[in-house]
Amino acid sequence: MKEKIIEPKTLPGFMELLPEKQILFNQMIDKIRQSYEMFGFLPLDTPIIELSEILLAKAGGETQKQIYRFEKGENDLSLRFDLTVPLAKYVCMHKNEIAFPFRRYQIGKVYRGEKPQKGRYREFYQCDIDIIGDEKLDIIFDAEMPSVIYSTFNTLGFSDFTIHINNRKILNGLFEELNLKEKVTDILRIIDKIEKIGEEAVKIELKKIDIKEEKIEKIIDFIYIDGSNNEKLEKLINLNINNETFLSGIKEIKEVMEYTKIFGVPEENLEFDLTIARGLDYYTGTVYETFLNKYKELGSICSGGRYDNLAQNYTEKTFPGVGISIGLSRLFYQLNEVNLIKEEKKSIAKVLVVSMDEKLDKAIEVATALRNKNIPTEVYIQNKKIKSKFKYADKLKIPYVAVIGEEELKNNTVTLKNMETGEQEELKIEEVIKKLL
Amino acid sequence: MKEKIIEPKTLPGFMELLPEKQILFNQMIDKIRQSYEMFGFLPLDTPIIELSEILLAKAGGETQKQIYRFEKGENDLSLRFDLTVPLAKYVCMHKNEIAFPFRRYQIGKVYRGEKPQKGRYREFYQCDIDIIGDEKLDIIFDAEMPSVIYSTFNTLGFSDFTIHINNRKILNGLFEELNLKEKVTDILRIIDKIEKIGEEAVKIELKKIDIKEEKIEKIIDFIYIDGSNNEKLEKLINLNINNETFLSGIKEIKEVMEYTKIFGVPEENLEFDLTIARGLDYYTGTVYETFLNKYKELGSICSGGRYDNLAQNYTEKTFPGVGISIGLSRLFYQLNEVNLIKEEKKSIAKVLVVSMDEKLDKAIEVATALRNKNIPTEVYIQNKKIKSKFKYADKLKIPYVAVIGEEELKNNTVTLKNMETGEQEELKIEEVIKKLL
């Protein structure tokens, strides 16, 4: 009874790594998690499937098109496309059980049916932290975010990166002043692209939405205010704009920058950048983007901001919040492409125990002794020639092979071979443990 | 512009925990992963969405009904319902890149649209390990599995559990001998339920598929052979059944039990149990189930077995394998219900740093110093009364609060309060670090 053979394949746009890459990917996840937990963020794991009416309560056109949506029984279901909407749902549902300010992290897969292309995935990991307040959330939390970003990318092995920071109230205030308030959303969306498309293209797009040339000039001049962080702040203050929103933005960014210093973020890693607006409507105050200084073409590797109201679609209550997100699948792909992944270990097992002959008793005994000391150890069990066993260790990049032959059996030792240097020495188990710990 | 309020809710059958439970859940995942890695299993992370033709290549009726299946563009897609089918696909696709025997673990969510009921989830975690051979896989691997199960549940804090082990060739051989070969699948499926439905119900079901009374008696006698593991083995040998399959089963189980001892599994944790058959067709040799001795009603908490051919739907090649799986979401629910979860830590932050007044400079400085020593630390940032700050620590079960007031500022100290005992002492930062490390 022969069954039909189906060609095995994985869907395009879905990351599926070889174990050696998966080890590196998991190391990045572990470090991000470790860094988030170091700041006391609580773990959350929400379902990947939600009711469509919940997920799409606010979603705009692009999201609607990209979403994985289907019916099951009588339910209209969707796969989550980010971790923020599920958080909003969660906070509303559990507002009486959780403690505020609610600090949570979530690391999980999200789904967007974009056109697959190099480094763009339809299933990808997001690593988010958010702090949600009950009606109020002090501005100092906005200064804690850059310190988490700083610590996280440090933990990942990076130092040459800059966190760009801005406050949307400054821009909004200016637009109020210029009588362009009703076009703010459009203008911000256009300005946000200045790094990508350049000044001229931005001007053209602003013209298209009927903004007069002189006002366009003012906007451009404004976002190009330069100098050090403090100089920019001073120049802004010297504009003497007496708009309430504007002044509140200035006050906030000043406080955030001061506290960021207290939080230990070095000045060279933080830049007050008036060109950062973030495309999404819902940011209302501080916004962040992070760039690797030597690889700015990778785009922002960690972004986020402050929002006044997380969950307006689900409740009359106000939950202000601030958060950041790392799109890890894409970041991993990019870092891998430019060879920037810091490898700490390349294998799971630290040592492969092999027997010269078929008998495995001693090999298993040695392995158990090593595992009892928390040294990840594999026994080569399949009956193969010794050469194949070494080849296996090599392919898996296992750094040590412990060989047990007649001599070693007699002496109650193993011969430990360093697979990188080729050095080998006959050692007692206790000495092996000491060496590998 | 008021938007419509949508009632936030989570789909029934989808686990969504409060942070304090999520911390415990994550600890279980971490320990399972740690235990799997200790044996050198490699990590894998395959997509949750696959082509339906791949996932359903072999699936039977029940699976077909339960699956989450939908169309997106021109693709007929499904959510994975286990981690074994994706593994089969993966091994076929990457057979030239991976090293055999291929030892992989995968911990991830799978989806089955069952009727939601207490402790049954539609989205749940499976924690699998499998070892896949290229054409051949020695029987000793079957003895390594119980040692991984043993180590894993030990790591999870359990000692009073029994791994039940059997070999399907023994049963199959018997059925060949009884001329019931063409009914083997049905009979195994019925026998498998003996723990659940009892001997009488099994007899009735066997009768229903037209098995003669005398043969039923023989089957029941057979699976109730009792005594110690060795006594059972002896009694089986003494039946003098000269069937090839039967004898091969005896030989295998004997070898597996011998090696299990060498692998360090205590005799009291392993039981040769002729009633274990496992409902799934694809097991062909050794099978495992694991029970908590004092909570047998929970059912098997870790099951698996040996299969001759992992990927027959995708390739002409033969990939024999052996594996086990823990259904973690259900297990977590059950352990939680009977209060059996071993808590190691109840909070993420080990200490909450609070300031008596509004100034946070010193609090942040202290927190940074603690984090630099890898002590997870949270600063209470929101401007609240000191009482609220302690209440927050209490609610989050944070074990220590470090208070900074006027005195402490002057003395360059903090007052560290143990939240469980209520004890407090004024300490220098270095002393706090020493205490909390």
Side-chain angles (χ1 to χ4, degrees):
Chain A
M1 200 179 65
K2 197 89 202 161
E3 296 189 46
K4 208 184 111 216
I5 298 290
I6 294 161
E7 193 209 335
K9 51 179 180 256
T10 299
L11 286 160
F14 286 71
M15 183 181 264
E16 190 171 73
L17 301 169
L18 283 172
E20 56 184 279
K21 293 290 176 198
Q22 191 66 52
I23 291 171
L24 299 180
F25 190 89
N26 290 1
Q27 275 174 57
M28 288 188 73
I29 287 198
D30 290 344
K31 284 176 178 174
I32 291 169
R33 177 182 166 194
Q34 179 199 327
S35 171
Y36 288 174
E37 293 198 347
M38 201 50 70
F39 285 80
F41 287 89
L42 300 172
L44 214 62
D45 183 7
T46 64
I48 283 173
I49 309 178
E50 300 268 10
L51 284 168
S52 298
E53 63 166 16
I54 302 282
L55 282 193
L56 298 172
K58 202 200 171 152
E62 220 22 55
T63 309
Q64 288 267 15
K65 257 183 282 167
Q66 293 181 350
I67 207 156
Y68 285 86
R69 182 174 183 172
F70 54 93
E71 277 171 31
K72 174 88 179 163
E74 282 167 14
N75 289 322
D76 177 359
L77 307 175
S78 292
L79 304 188
R80 66 185 181 205
F81 56 90
D82 73 5
L83 301 175
T84 312
V85 178
L87 172 65
K89 178 207 74 172
Y90 185 93
V91 168
C92 290
M93 286 177 69
H94 301 290
K95 56 181 180 293
N96 298 321
E97 299 150 286
I98 58 182
F100 290 97
F102 180 51
R103 301 161 67 88
R104 86 87 177 80
Y105 75 89
Q106 184 164 2
I107 297 174
K109 287 176 169 179
V110 302
Y111 296 82
R112 293 184 198 169
E114 293 188 85
K115 274 214 178 69
Q117 42 180 307
K118 260 193 178 310
R120 284 274 176 201
Y121 296 98
R122 293 177 158 183
E123 174 187 71
F124 59 98
Y125 277 91
Q126 282 195 333
C127 311
D128 283 19
I129 55 173
D130 287 271
I131 303 173
I132 310 299
D134 184 5
E135 303 290 339
K136 271 193 306 196
L137 188 72
D138 287 359
I139 185 71
I140 304 170
F141 288 101
D142 296 36
E144 195 185 20
M145 286 293 145
S147 75
V148 181
I149 298 175
Y150 177 71
S151 149
T152 303
F153 283 93
N154 254 310
T155 307
L156 288 171
F158 296 95
S159 54
D160 193 14
F161 59 88
T162 307
I163 304 159
H164 294 238
I165 189 172
N166 192 13
N167 191 304
R168 285 185 81 156
K169 289 180 187 168
I170 297 173
L171 288 156
N172 287 338
L174 172 77
F175 300 134
E176 278 175 28
E177 198 67 11
L178 294 175
N179 264 320
L180 290 170
K181 210 178 159 185
E182 68 294 345
K183 285 183 179 162
V184 163
T185 309
D186 289 332
I187 296 173
L188 287 179
R189 196 170 288 135
I190 294 167
I191 289 178
D192 209 25
K193 298 193 275 186
I194 198 159
E195 286 273 339
K196 252 193 236 160
I197 64 175
E199 185 182 320
E200 283 314 309
V202 164
K203 281 184 181 171
I204 290 165
E205 288 205 28
L206 289 173
K207 216 173 207 165
K208 271 191 203 148
I209 57 166
D210 280 328
I211 299 178
K212 293 218 178 75
E213 199 120 1
E214 54 170 283
K215 289 189 178 179
I216 291 180
E217 286 305 327
K218 272 207 175 139
I219 293 170
I220 300 284
D221 283 353
F222 175 85
I223 59 179
Y224 275 141
I225 285 181
D226 62 356
S228 71
N229 293 347
N230 282 335
E231 282 163 2
K232 282 180 192 163
L233 204 56
E234 235 169 85
K235 285 181 188 173
L236 278 176
I237 292 166
N238 288 340
L239 290 176
N240 276 319
I241 297 178
N242 255 325
N243 172 286
E244 208 182 309
T245 311
F246 183 88
L247 292 174
S248 148
I250 296 282
K251 185 168 173 283
E252 285 184 11
I253 196 85
K254 201 161 168 277
E255 211 166 343
V256 169
M257 286 201 297
E258 275 168 21
Y259 264 99
T260 308
K261 234 175 276 172
I262 296 169
F263 269 109
V265 180
E267 262 178 89
E268 66 263 32
N269 293 94
L270 190 82
E271 183 182 333
F272 177 25
D273 178 354
L274 287 162
T275 68
I276 301 292
R278 306 285 312 138
L280 289 160
D281 292 356
Y282 68 85
Y283 291 121
T284 48
T286 315
V287 285
Y288 319 94
E289 292 195 347
T290 312
F291 297 91
L292 294 177
N293 295 333
K294 288 197 184 116
Y295 299 87
K296 287 201 97 176
E297 69 276 14
L298 301 188
S300 173
I301 56 174
C302 177
S303 312
R306 152 81 70 152
Y307 36 89
D308 275 347
N309 202 347
L310 172 70
Q312 58 201 15
N313 300 292
Y314 314 128
T315 179
E316 308 274 356
K317 272 183 68 75
T318 305
F319 295 109
V322 61
I324 53 164
S325 178
I326 300 173
L328 186 60
S329 303
R330 183 171 162 73
L331 178 60
F332 180 82
Y333 171 84
Q334 291 174 319
L335 293 178
N336 193 44
E337 286 289 293
V338 293
N339 250 313
L340 269 190
I341 299 192
K342 317 291 187 217
E343 302 183 356
E344 223 159 69
K345 57 170 190 180
K346 299 176 180 180
S347 70
I348 296 295
K350 200 158 183 184
V351 55
L352 182 73
V353 187
V354 306
S355 186
M356 290 297 282
D357 60 16
E358 280 176 49
K359 289 272 291 172
L360 287 171
D361 307 42
K362 189 69 188 173
I364 293 170
E365 190 193 297
V366 168
T368 305
L370 296 177
R371 285 181 195 129
N372 286 340
K373 295 291 175 187
N374 280 321
I375 298 164
T377 306
E378 181 176 343
V379 181
Y380 195 95
I381 288 174
Q382 189 84 347
N383 187 13
K384 286 258 188 184
K385 293 215 175 93
I386 189 75
K387 213 176 138 189
S388 300
K389 299 177 182 177
F390 273 99
K391 226 171 120 185
Y392 176 87
D394 222 36
K395 196 159 179 184
L396 258 57
K397 299 199 171 85
I398 300 174
Y400 290 94
V401 174
V403 186
I404 295 161
E406 259 179 69
E407 269 301 295
E408 289 86 355
L409 265 176
K410 212 176 60 194
N411 302 340
N412 199 20
T413 55
V414 305
T415 294
L416 190 71
K417 181 173 179 181
N418 180 323
M419 293 296 282
E420 210 179 320
T421 64
E423 282 174 283
Q424 54 182 57
E425 43 185 343
E426 199 181 329
L427 298 171
K428 300 231 169 274
I429 309 299
E430 302 72 43
E431 295 171 317
V432 175
I433 290 169
K434 219 183 254 172
K435 196 166 180 98
L436 297 187
L437 262 183
Chain B
M1 200 179 66
K2 196 94 200 160
E3 297 188 48
K4 207 184 111 215
I5 298 288
I6 294 161
E7 192 209 335
K9 51 177 179 258
T10 299
L11 285 160
F14 286 71
M15 182 181 263
E16 190 171 74
L17 301 168
L18 283 171
E20 55 184 280
K21 293 290 176 197
Q22 192 66 51
I23 291 171
L24 298 181
F25 190 89
N26 290 2
Q27 274 174 57
M28 287 189 73
I29 287 199
D30 289 345
K31 284 177 179 176
I32 292 170
R33 177 182 166 195
Q34 179 199 327
S35 171
Y36 288 174
E37 292 198 346
M38 201 50 70
F39 284 80
F41 288 89
L42 301 172
L44 214 61
D45 183 8
T46 63
I48 284 173
I49 309 178
E50 301 267 10
L51 285 168
S52 298
E53 62 165 17
I54 302 281
L55 282 192
L56 297 172
K58 202 200 173 153
E62 223 16 58
T63 310
Q64 289 267 16
K65 258 183 281 168
Q66 293 181 350
I67 206 155
Y68 286 85
R69 183 173 182 172
F70 54 92
E71 276 170 32
K72 176 86 179 164
E74 283 166 15
N75 288 323
D76 177 359
L77 306 175
S78 291
L79 304 188
R80 65 185 180 204
F81 56 89
D82 73 5
L83 302 175
T84 312
V85 177
L87 172 64
K89 178 208 75 172
Y90 186 92
V91 168
C92 290
M93 285 177 70
H94 300 291
K95 58 180 180 292
N96 299 321
E97 298 150 286
I98 57 182
F100 289 97
F102 181 53
R103 301 161 67 89
R104 86 86 178 78
Y105 75 89
Q106 184 164 4
I107 298 173
K109 288 176 169 180
V110 303
Y111 296 82
R112 294 185 197 169
E114 295 187 83
K115 274 213 177 69
Q117 42 179 309
K118 260 193 179 306
R120 284 273 175 201
Y121 296 97
R122 292 178 158 182
E123 174 186 72
F124 59 98
Y125 276 92
Q126 283 195 332
C127 311
D128 284 19
I129 55 171
D130 287 271
I131 304 173
I132 310 298
D134 184 4
E135 304 289 340
K136 273 193 303 197
L137 189 72
D138 287 359
I139 185 71
I140 303 169
F141 288 101
D142 294 38
E144 196 185 21
M145 286 293 145
S147 76
V148 181
I149 298 176
Y150 177 71
S151 149
T152 303
F153 283 93
N154 253 310
T155 308
L156 287 171
F158 296 96
S159 54
D160 195 14
F161 59 89
T162 307
I163 304 159
H164 293 238
I165 188 170
N166 192 13
N167 191 305
R168 285 185 83 155
K169 288 180 189 168
I170 299 173
L171 289 156
N172 286 339
L174 173 77
F175 300 135
E176 277 175 27
E177 198 66 10
L178 294 175
N179 265 319
L180 290 169
K181 210 178 157 185
E182 68 293 348
K183 286 182 178 163
V184 163
T185 309
D186 288 333
I187 297 174
L188 288 179
R189 197 169 287 135
I190 294 167
I191 289 179
D192 211 26
K193 298 192 277 186
I194 198 158
E195 286 273 340
K196 254 193 235 160
I197 65 176
E199 186 183 319
E200 282 316 307
V202 163
K203 280 184 183 171
I204 291 165
E205 288 206 28
L206 288 174
K207 216 173 208 166
K208 269 190 206 151
I209 57 165
D210 279 327
I211 299 178
K212 293 217 179 75
E213 201 121 358
E214 55 169 281
K215 289 189 178 179
I216 291 180
E217 286 306 327
K218 272 208 175 140
I219 293 169
I220 299 283
D221 284 352
F222 176 85
I223 60 178
Y224 273 143
I225 285 181
D226 62 355
S228 70
N229 291 348
N230 282 334
E231 283 164 2
K232 281 181 195 164
L233 204 56
E234 236 169 82
K235 285 180 188 172
L236 278 177
I237 293 166
N238 289 339
L239 290 177
N240 275 319
I241 298 178
N242 254 323
N243 172 289
E244 209 183 310
T245 311
F246 182 87
L247 293 174
S248 147
I250 296 283
K251 186 168 172 283
E252 284 184 11
I253 196 87
K254 201 162 168 275
E255 211 167 342
V256 168
M257 286 201 296
E258 275 168 21
Y259 263 99
T260 309
K261 234 174 277 172
I262 296 170
F263 269 109
V265 180
E267 262 178 88
E268 67 263 31
N269 292 95
L270 190 81
E271 184 184 332
F272 177 24
D273 179 353
L274 287 162
T275 68
I276 300 293
R278 305 289 309 140
L280 288 160
D281 294 355
Y282 68 86
Y283 292 121
T284 49
T286 315
V287 285
Y288 319 94
E289 292 195 347
T290 312
F291 297 90
L292 294 177
N293 296 333
K294 288 195 185 119
Y295 299 88
K296 286 202 97 176
E297 69 277 13
L298 301 188
S300 173
I301 57 174
C302 178
S303 312
R306 151 81 69 152
Y307 36 89
D308 275 345
N309 202 347
L310 172 71
Q312 58 201 13
N313 301 292
Y314 313 129
T315 178
E316 306 275 356
K317 272 182 70 75
T318 305
F319 294 110
V322 61
I324 53 164
S325 178
I326 300 171
L328 187 61
S329 303
R330 182 170 164 73
L331 179 61
F332 180 83
Y333 171 84
Q334 291 174 319
L335 294 177
N336 193 45
E337 286 289 294
V338 292
N339 250 312
L340 271 190
I341 299 192
K342 317 290 186 218
E343 303 184 354
E344 224 159 68
K345 54 169 193 182
K346 298 175 181 183
S347 71
I348 296 295
K350 200 157 182 184
V351 55
L352 182 73
V353 187
V354 306
S355 187
M356 291 296 283
D357 61 14
E358 280 176 49
K359 288 272 292 172
L360 288 171
D361 307 41
K362 188 70 186 172
I364 293 170
E365 189 192 299
V366 168
T368 305
L370 295 177
R371 284 181 196 130
N372 285 340
K373 297 289 176 189
N374 279 322
I375 298 165
T377 305
E378 181 175 343
V379 180
Y380 195 95
I381 288 173
Q382 190 82 346
N383 187 13
K384 287 257 187 183
K385 293 216 175 91
I386 189 74
K387 212 177 138 187
S388 300
K389 298 178 182 177
F390 274 99
K391 226 172 121 185
Y392 175 87
D394 223 35
K395 196 160 181 184
L396 258 55
K397 301 197 168 86
I398 300 174
Y400 291 94
V401 174
V403 186
I404 295 161
E406 257 180 70
E407 270 299 295
E408 289 86 355
L409 265 176
K410 213 175 58 193
N411 302 339
N412 199 19
T413 55
V414 306
T415 294
L416 191 71
K417 180 173 179 181
N418 180 323
M419 293 295 284
E420 211 179 320
T421 64
E423 283 174 284
Q424 53 181 57
E425 44 185 343
E426 199 181 330
L427 298 171
K428 300 233 170 272
I429 308 300
E430 302 72 44
E431 295 170 317
V432 175
I433 290 169
K434 219 184 252 172
K435 195 166 180 97
L436 297 187
L437 260 185

